[in-house]
Amino acid sequence: MPVICAANPKGGAGKSTTLFTIAATLAHEGASVSIIDADPNHPITDWRNGQSTLKMRVIGGVTESNIRDLIIEEASKSTFVFVDLEGTASRLVSRAIIKADLTLIPLAGSGLEATQAAKAVRLIREVEEDTGKSVNYTLVFNRTNPPPFTRKIERNIADEMRRNNLPVLDTHLYRREAFNAMFVDQLSIYELDGSQVSGLAQAIENAAALTAEVLELLKRMQKAAA
């Protein structure tokens, strides 16, 4: 079963929001989903303590020594396993990347974020050198402005990454109130009140598009491996 992790050595890069949005969308569509919360701030574990009725397993208590076994165990139980990692380049992060089928590198559209994302790419290169195996990864923008308000710097950073042959998802997770409200209200995006959260319909559409592109990428990876 696909294991997807989110890695970026910069804290606050949008790892939890990006990963959780995709996981919640799949769970809402009926897939069995596990999220291993290895972020020291435990944002997804805290979310699970709220009132959401979304069926999704959230596992905490993650350590460097048990991360591998937790991934294997959850992969035997759920169709999709997501791993939310700490914002640092640690052995725990490396172990999760090794076990993952796909590593997402979330970043916002700024020069600083691009620099930190480059460090995540270097970490993946180190994992590949240490294991002798190729690691599937892609960069994914979040907290960017939706068209027609996309900033020039956001377009330039994405174009530069593609010129450097770095994989980048076409779909961004845009700056929407709903993506913050999920953690504030401790509900999934599909349980929020549209009368209280502006742009909710657009956020749901955005979440579905991002999830669909990730699923398509996983399918292409499976074909290539076959």
Side-chain angles (χ1 to χ4, degrees):
M1 302 302 172
V3 176
I4 303 168
C5 70
N8 189 317
K10 180 183 180 299
K15 295 184 297 296
S16 299
T17 301
T18 302
L19 199 77
F20 178 78
T21 298
I22 298 168
T25 298
L26 289 169
H28 175 74
E29 292 175 352
S32 58
V33 174
S34 291
I35 301 181
I36 298 173
D37 187 359
D39 186 325
N41 295 315
H42 308 303
I44 298 176
T45 300
D46 290 344
W47 172 90
R48 181 74 280 178
N49 293 329
Q51 301 299 313
S52 174
T53 60
L54 189 67
K55 292 182 179 179
M56 192 161 56
R57 290 172 54 81
V58 178
I59 296 88
V62 184
T63 66
E64 179 186 305
S65 60
N66 71 10
I67 181 68
R68 180 178 178 276
D69 290 340
L70 285 175
I71 292 173
I72 293 172
E73 180 180 352
E74 293 307 312
S76 71
K77 297 176 179 178
S78 298
T79 306
F80 294 92
V81 177
F82 292 84
V83 188
D84 188 24
L85 295 170
E86 57 189 348
T88 184
S90 66
R91 190 174 179 187
L92 184 152
V93 171
S94 296
R95 284 186 168 183
I97 290 173
I98 290 169
K99 294 300 297 179
D101 297 289
L102 175 64
T103 296
L104 303 177
I105 303 177
L107 73 156
S110 72
L112 175 60
E113 293 276 348
T115 299
Q116 294 299 322
K119 292 181 180 179
V121 173
R122 286 198 293 272
L123 174 61
I124 286 174
R125 297 284 185 252
E126 291 172 3
V127 169
E128 289 179 326
E129 291 175 4
D130 292 343
T131 62
K133 297 179 181 179
S134 178
V135 173
N136 293 309
Y137 74 95
T138 186
L139 295 133
V140 51
F141 282 90
N142 68 90
R143 292 172 294 168
T144 55
N145 295 321
F149 306 107
T150 306
R151 296 182 301 162
K152 182 178 180 181
I153 189 172
E154 295 168 356
R155 293 193 298 270
N156 289 347
I157 290 172
D159 291 343
E160 179 66 19
M161 288 177 168
R162 291 188 175 94
R163 282 194 293 270
N164 289 325
N165 296 316
L166 294 174
V168 184
L169 292 185
D170 292 326
T171 308
H172 295 196
L173 195 67
Y174 295 123
R175 185 180 286 107
R176 299 283 188 190
E177 180 184 348
F179 298 128
N180 290 326
M182 293 188 300
F183 293 98
V184 174
D185 296 344
Q186 295 180 309
L187 297 170
S188 76
I189 194 173
Y190 304 96
E191 298 168 307
L192 295 173
D193 184 348
S195 67
Q196 301 295 319
V197 180
S198 64
L200 180 58
Q202 293 88 339
I204 289 174
E205 182 179 359
N206 186 191
L210 178 62
T211 302
E213 186 172 359
V214 169
L215 290 177
E216 182 59 33
L217 177 57
L218 288 169
K219 289 179 183 178
R220 293 201 304 268
M221 286 163 38
Q222 289 176 335
K223 277 187 178 180

